[in-house]
Amino acid sequence: MAEAKVTVYGAYWCPDCRRSKRFLGEQFIPYQWVDIEQDKVGEAFVLQKNNGKRTIPMILFEDGSFLVEPSNAELAKKLGLKTEAKKIYYDLIIIGGGPAGLTAAIYAAREGAETLLIERSGLGGQAGITVGLDNFPGFPEGIGGQEFAERITQQARRFGVEILQAQDVEKLMMEEGYQEVYTSDGRHYHSRAVLIAAEASYRRLEVPGEDDFIGAGIHFCATCDGPFYKGAKEIVVVGGGNSAVEEGLHLTNFAEKVILLARGDKLSASQFAIDKVNEPASHIEVKYNTAVDAYEGQDSKLKTMKTRNLKTGQTEEIHPAAAFIFIGQQPNTGFLKNYLEMDKYGFIRTGHDFVHDKDGKAHVEALAFETSIPGVFAAGDVRYSSTKQVASAVGEGAAAAISIRDFFA
Ligand SMILES: Cc1cc2nc3c(=O)[nH]c(=O)nc-3n(C[C@H](O)[C@H](O)[C@H](O)COP(=O)(O)OP(=O)(O)OC[C@H]3O[C@@H](n4cnc5c(N)ncnc54)[C@H](O)[C@@H]3O)c2cc1C
């Protein structure tokens, strides 16, 4: 893990501390957490810096400067994240800086298209929070997700892609033949074409107590939050697919034991991963046919998970140090509702089935990766029928950029 350059002083019961920690985590900024309820030296430091007040979160930076109770926008500014674009008009605006968006940006900018990429969270997308990529061609020993994200971002910058961070695209509309892209800071930018390469976000269990303990015992990213549980006795992982199994295996680096709660009576991960779980020294116990009914806490921190065996109805209470949830994702396309055609889950439909009007008369088949709106393209995990892998997201990003070139022509 990268060395922490930021220290967050706070307390487990403080919602603003959780917000700040979440923001730093989303931006892939390594930070050290000091709970001033537990750490008397930390508490004294906060009192000293705040004129005797116990105001938290207090965030200390490498250069010795600090912010007290900062908003996310203040934090972004302090961290030097670029949140405002240089111009208001671009050839291409890309929404999402995961493998698909960054690859498309490399292709488009390299061919001279003025390209703005807007990312709300950490660059690299889901690939950036993955422990390691073992199946991306060209890296025989595998590559760390964070390193992969840094490399692809560096390559995009090399070709002049302008990148905004900590900005959420909230609305997209067409105005006089141009796309208008609205960001969370109230600004908007225009472009000839847009590529949507937004992600699918983590699905939650939607059971009582969940909202209360997210970031305070309930997590969705083992790479980001696993190290906080170094030396823990037990961690629970919820899910039975590839992500749950792989991340569960990774979490055994921190906890003495990982309990995997699978709803079904078998795991649906790759055989390779299942074999690893079944190794006698894996430190993973699998509980099949098990659902989580509720989370309960103490002092605003997760303490208990109430589970139920779906076959026998038998209930149980477990007291893990943390629960990591890996039960799939849902597309983040709410901001496109009523604009584009999507499937019932919100994945964006693209391709030749759509027929577009050109110049008000001629009907033309949509280009590959083009959506129901001419000039708006989609690639990667957010696209209906995509295969949700880094290699395919990269391939879709490249192919979409070539279609966008045809659209410009
Ligand atoms: C834990 C885990 C392990 C994985 N392991 C592997 C693996 O080993 N091998 C493999 O091939 N794949 C793996 N995957 C899957 C792989 O990471 C994804 O398929 C791939 O990252 C998809 O790329 P993408 O660019 O389409 O989307 P993403 O990587 O999801 O990137 C989309 C980006 O869009 C941003 N965004 C979304 N909405 C907005 C908005 N409105 N405004 C601005 N930005 C927005 C998001 O913040 C995100 O950064 C793993 C995924 C996870 C979660």
Side-chain angles (χ1 to χ4, degrees):
M1 203 177 50
E3 202 186 318
K5 294 186 174 156
V6 173
T7 308
V8 181
Y9 292 85
Y12 55 82
W13 45 261
C14 150
D16 267 348
C17 303
R18 287 207 285 276
R19 176 185 48 77
S20 299
K21 282 164 65 182
R22 191 173 176 157
F23 178 83
L24 293 168
E26 282 173 355
Q27 300 303 326
F28 303 159
I29 312 272
Y31 65 92
Q32 196 192 340
W33 165 240
V34 177
D35 185 337
I36 63 167
E37 294 286 354
Q38 316 285 336
D39 187 323
K40 291 296 148 202
V41 178
E43 184 186 26
F45 185 66
V46 169
L47 290 170
Q48 182 219 325
K49 292 280 178 194
N50 283 313
N51 301 323
K53 290 194 206 123
R54 222 166 165 265
T55 322
I56 48 173
M58 189 186 96
I59 304 180
L60 180 71
F61 300 90
E62 209 183 8
D63 61 2
S65 61
F66 63 93
L67 290 175
V68 180
E69 290 184 300
S71 65
N72 283 354
E74 287 168 330
L75 256 179
K77 192 168 172 222
K78 176 73 190 169
L79 292 164
L81 301 179
K82 181 177 158 65
T83 57
E84 189 183 334
K86 285 191 209 140
K87 306 193 314 164
I88 56 161
Y89 176 84
Y90 290 83
D91 292 323
L92 172 64
I93 294 181
I94 297 175
I95 305 170
L102 284 165
T103 305
I106 291 168
Y107 271 67
R110 194 165 170 266
E111 295 205 352
E114 284 198 278
T115 305
L116 176 69
L117 183 146
I118 306 176
E119 169 57 57
R120 65 175 179 186
S121 187
L123 291 163
Q126 295 172 67
I129 58 160
T130 303
V131 180
L133 293 171
D134 240 2
N135 54 359
F136 194 82
F139 296 94
E141 306 303 327
I143 178 166
Q146 187 75 69
E147 186 187 346
F148 179 79
E150 279 162 17
R151 281 171 171 256
I152 192 166
T153 304
Q154 228 178 333
Q155 198 172 355
R157 290 196 201 278
R158 184 181 135 217
F159 292 114
V161 176
E162 198 180 330
I163 299 179
L164 301 190
Q165 282 176 272
Q167 280 303 351
D168 215 319
V169 172
E170 292 186 334
K171 194 166 84 174
L172 186 59
M173 57 188 278
M174 177 110 76
E175 191 72 34
E176 293 175 4
Y178 288 99
Q179 301 299 329
E180 298 213 337
V181 178
Y182 289 77
T183 47
S184 41
D185 59 355
R187 293 191 170 80
H188 68 281
Y189 303 100
H190 312 261
S191 61
R192 290 164 70 195
V194 164
L195 173 69
I196 301 159
E199 104 259 67
S201 55
Y202 298 108
R203 242 181 248 282
R204 296 181 183 189
L205 292 171
E206 311 290 351
V207 298
E210 192 171 39
D211 275 350
D212 300 337
F213 305 113
I214 287 177
I218 300 179
H219 304 276
F220 300 89
C221 170
T223 315
C224 317
D225 300 322
F228 291 127
Y229 297 97
K230 199 161 180 58
K233 231 170 145 60
E234 256 175 30
I235 287 180
V236 161
V237 166
V238 181
N242 263 323
S243 292
V245 171
E246 281 171 21
E247 301 303 303
L249 285 162
H250 174 61
L251 287 166
T252 58
N253 290 319
F254 309 112
E256 284 171 28
K257 181 178 166 189
V258 169
I259 303 175
L260 199 63
L261 304 182
R263 273 187 84 89
D265 49 18
K266 54 179 190 291
L267 299 175
S268 54
S270 68
Q271 194 54 48
F272 178 74
I274 293 174
D275 289 347
K276 281 191 138 185
V277 168
N278 290 335
E279 278 173 15
S282 77
H283 299 285
I284 294 196
E285 178 195 345
V286 187
K287 289 184 187 237
Y288 296 100
N289 305 304
T290 303
V292 178
D293 281 343
Y295 296 100
E296 285 178 357
Q298 197 180 352
D299 302 326
S300 303
K301 197 177 180 320
L302 177 70
K303 177 95 193 296
T304 304
M305 288 176 81
K306 294 190 164 184
T307 66
R308 181 170 37 93
N309 185 299
L310 294 165
K311 284 209 161 145
T312 63
Q314 195 182 341
T315 58
E316 194 187 348
E317 289 195 355
I318 35 184
H319 307 287
F324 285 78
I325 319 300
F326 300 108
I327 53 166
Q329 291 161 311
Q330 56 202 19
N332 175 43
T333 49
F335 69 105
L336 299 164
K337 220 170 161 191
N338 306 325
Y339 189 53
L340 296 171
E341 277 194 35
M342 306 181 211
D343 76 351
K344 63 177 178 179
Y345 303 106
F347 288 97
I348 301 171
R349 292 185 183 277
T350 57
H352 305 304
D353 291 349
F354 293 119
V355 175
H356 293 151
D357 281 350
K358 203 174 176 214
D359 304 328
K361 30 188 164 37
H363 291 274
V364 289
E365 228 181 45
L367 295 161
F369 298 96
E370 198 173 14
T371 67
S372 55
I373 301 291
V376 178
F377 295 74
D381 277 16
V382 80
R383 198 179 68 81
Y384 169 72
S385 87
S386 61
T387 46
K388 321 286 186 265
Q389 286 291 293
V390 176
S392 46
V394 161
E396 290 202 5
I402 290 165
S403 268
I404 291 166
R405 179 182 66 190
D406 293 346
F407 173 80
F408 291 152

